[in-house]
Amino acid sequence: GLTELGKDQVRATAKKLSAKPTRIFVSPLVRTQETAALVAKERSLPESAVVVDERLREFEFGGFDGGGFESRCERPSRGIDG
């Protein structure tokens, strides 16, 4: 789950939203649901405003997970076998 610092950051960011959402779509991951629940509470939305959508599930890309585009360009290719 989110750390206390993470929760504080979510609440602070939710307060800064210029528009009030009516629904928040999230992946099935616990951290996304926890984040959305905090945003919904901060924006006075009902729990039902958080909609879990399986289509938003993250993909795993093996050795390509993590880092940004730039780090992929800097990493030498190791071929199929690593």
Side-chain angles (χ1 to χ4, degrees):
L2 297 173
T3 64
E4 285 307 312
L5 173 61
K7 291 175 185 179
D8 290 343
Q9 291 172 335
V10 170
R11 288 184 199 103
T13 301
K15 289 177 184 177
K16 295 178 183 179
L17 292 175
S18 59
K20 182 177 178 180
T22 56
R23 282 190 263 166
I24 304 170
F25 293 90
V26 297
S27 78
L29 296 175
V30 172
R31 70 174 183 265
T32 63
Q33 294 177 49
E34 189 176 357
T35 300
L38 289 168
V39 171
K41 184 174 181 179
E42 192 63 44
R43 303 298 293 190
S44 301
L45 297 172
E47 289 181 20
S48 62
V50 178
V51 179
V52 178
D53 190 328
E54 290 287 330
R55 296 173 294 177
L56 298 175
R57 182 175 295 281
E58 293 182 8
F59 292 95
E60 283 191 43
F61 293 100
F64 289 101
D65 277 350
F69 177 75
E70 291 80 15
S71 68
R72 299 295 159 245
C73 294
E74 294 169 3
R75 185 181 295 176
S77 174
R78 292 180 279 187
I80 294 174
D81 296 321

